[in-house]
Amino acid sequence: MLVLADDGPVRDRWESRTPFSPCGEVRLARGERMKTHAARGISCLRRALERGNGAELAVAHPTVEGDPVRGYHRLTPRGGLEVYTDSTDAPRSDRKWSFSACHAPGWLPEIPCPRR
């Protein structure tokens, strides 16, 4: 799994990306889980995976302290998952953008991530 936490380049990469089909936005309350509270968005990502298409799901959730964090889950046409996380509005965090790739989430177990 690749993880980057460098505000400028990660944000620039997000902003300059080629957008995929939108799967909507989910707003989670503290303690809520994607698997149980984002059924529509997850179904959209699954349909994209089955069709070999790319798709994006935006997820807003609070930190333990209640600060806002936004995550953007991008399913690539090749079946990989990219997650861009924007913590810039969470004052008790690093206040940066971060990126991870090839994360196999429990709410979308179909993502094939090669082992290294």
Side-chain angles (χ1 to χ4, degrees), residues 55-76:
E56 298 179 349
L57 176 63
V59 181
H61 62 89
T63 62
V64 172
E65 296 86 6
D67 298 327
V69 174
R70 287 171 302 284
Y72 303 96
H73 298 75
R74 285 174 46 92
L75 180 68
T76 69

Side-chain angles (χ1 to χ4, degrees), residues 70-87:
R70 287 171 302 284
Y72 303 96
H73 298 75
R74 285 174 46 92
L75 180 68
T76 69
R78 300 179 90 186
L81 186 69
E82 301 174 343
V83 181
Y84 290 82
T85 304
D86 175 6
S87 300

Side-chain angles (χ1 to χ4, degrees), residues 1 3 10 19 40 45 51-52 57 75-76 92 110:
M1 173 171 53
V3 178
V10 174
R40 259 192 210 139
L45 291 175
R51 295 177 182 148
L57 176 63
L75 180 68
T76 69
R92 290 175 282 260
E110 298 91 345

Side-chain angles (χ1 to χ4, degrees), residues 3-7 10 94 96-99:
V3 178
L4 299 174
D6 190 352
D7 190 35
V10 174
D94 62 6
K96 292 185 177 188
W97 278 76
S98 61
F99 171 81

